[in-house]
Amino acid sequence: YSPVDRRIYDWKYGRSARIATRVIAISECTRRDLISDFNIPEEKIDVVYQGVDPVFTLPVDTAARTEIRRRYDLPQRYILAVGTVQPRKNLLQAVKALPALPSDVILVVVGARKGPYAREVNETIARLRLADRVRFLEGIPFSDLPALYACAEFSSYTSFYEGFGLPVVESLSVGTPVIAAKGSCLEEAGGRGAVYVDPADVDNYIDEATRILDNAYTRKKLSDDGRRHVRRFSAENFAKATMAAYNKAIIDFCL
């Protein structure tokens, strides 16, 4: 964001949070940011986790997996990265790690790409001679995402910063483990279904990726732990927590 945009957003969101009766934060990380950046009293902030789209709670059967591989010409083993190709999402970490991973594993990126960072990613792919191991998918139907996640060895989501990290929950919901980054909200989103790396440390990423790729037991345990963890992100829990926040606002206003 430009300096002008940052000033506008700081003023707009800071003022909104200060004058509101109550504030809903989408993670504990966001709650801490509201307290430290805008001096919002802790007691007026409610953390309400987002619910995952119901499509991710449905089983992905063998037929769906076979069709998604055929439609996008996917190999047996791939890493999936879902998100816009921009600096904050840190796609370069996975790209730079790829040469150290087994040669039959490719990186599949789902998300729009434009601007200087996308050009840097393309230049890095060319420099490392990875043209045949990195595939970009843009404009795919949302309904294809569950099967794309389900067929992946793991998902990669090592953003330098996030407010929640919904792709982590989407991946875990279909049973696919995640490599995520330390330092923002992603530990909340992933729980024990993900492993966490320093987003600036490529060797750290290589170590964790190798551990997941080489060990079926590790993948299975992460998958099972992840499915248990994401139960808290149901639409029902989201609705109940949101209603509770509104009830608190009414009570606070009446007092």
Side-chain angles (χ1 to χ4, degrees):
Y1 292 91
S2 69
V4 171
D5 284 337
R6 291 201 298 272
R7 285 196 291 271
I8 291 172
Y9 286 130
D10 277 347
W11 178 82
K12 180 168 67 172
Y13 293 125
R15 182 176 184 274
S16 296
R18 282 188 288 272
I19 67 174
T21 306
R22 297 203 68 79
V23 178
I24 290 176
I26 60 173
S27 67
E28 289 289 345
C29 178
T30 298
R31 182 186 67 84
R32 292 192 297 269
D33 289 344
L34 287 164
I35 295 168
S36 64
D37 294 348
F38 296 145
N39 297 314
I40 307 303
E42 180 178 358
E43 60 272 14
K44 88 168 191 177
I45 303 172
D46 298 305
V47 175
V48 178
Y49 288 120
Q50 297 171 256
V52 69
D53 192 287
V55 71
F56 293 99
T57 65
L58 302 175
V60 181
D61 59 21
T62 301
R65 292 169 187 258
T66 301
E67 171 58 21
I68 212 72
R69 289 186 188 278
R70 183 202 63 78
R71 187 178 306 165
Y72 296 108
D73 190 25
L74 297 173
Q76 187 62 34
R77 301 212 296 172
Y78 65 88
I79 300 163
L80 185 68
V82 175
T84 305
V85 180
Q86 57 178 267
R88 177 172 60 86
K89 298 292 186 181
N90 193 29
L91 178 63
L92 274 174
Q93 186 177 31
V95 172
K96 291 176 179 178
L98 203 55
L101 302 180
S103 60
D104 64 325
V105 176
I106 75 166
L107 175 64
V108 176
V109 183
V110 175
R113 49 177 174 153
K114 59 182 179 179
Y117 186 75
R119 289 194 292 273
E120 183 181 358
V121 169
N122 289 336
E123 290 167 359
T124 302
I125 291 169
R127 177 172 56 81
L128 297 177
R129 299 181 181 180
L130 295 172
D132 61 340
R133 294 187 62 191
V134 182
R135 189 170 305 168
F136 292 92
L137 303 178
E138 298 184 43
I140 69 164
F142 183 78
S143 57
D144 284 352
L145 274 178
L148 281 169
Y149 279 119
C151 290
E153 296 291 288
F154 65 85
S155 293
S156 179
Y157 204 68
T158 57
S159 302
F160 286 108
Y161 186 86
E162 292 289 346
F164 180 62
L166 193 57
V168 173
V169 180
E170 292 171 348
S171 184
L172 297 182
S173 295
V174 301
T176 298
V178 180
I179 290 184
K182 304 172 183 176
S184 58
C185 67
L186 297 180
E187 286 108 329
E188 293 178 65
R192 296 174 67 180
V195 294
Y196 304 96
V197 299
D198 180 339
D201 189 338
V202 174
D203 289 336
N204 190 190
Y205 187 102
I206 291 169
D207 290 343
E208 294 298 344
T210 301
R211 186 166 68 90
I212 295 173
L213 291 168
D214 289 352
N215 194 317
Y217 173 79
T218 296
R219 289 197 304 275
K220 178 68 166 56
K221 187 174 189 311
L222 287 169
S223 176
D224 291 344
D225 288 345
R227 285 184 186 275
R228 284 190 289 270
H229 175 73
V230 296
R231 290 172 187 165
R232 71 189 63 190
F233 303 119
S234 68
E236 181 181 6
N237 287 343
F238 172 73
K240 286 180 178 178
T242 302
M243 183 61 73
Y246 273 96
N247 286 333
K248 289 178 185 176
I250 293 169
I251 293 169
D252 290 348
F253 180 78
C254 291
L255 294 176

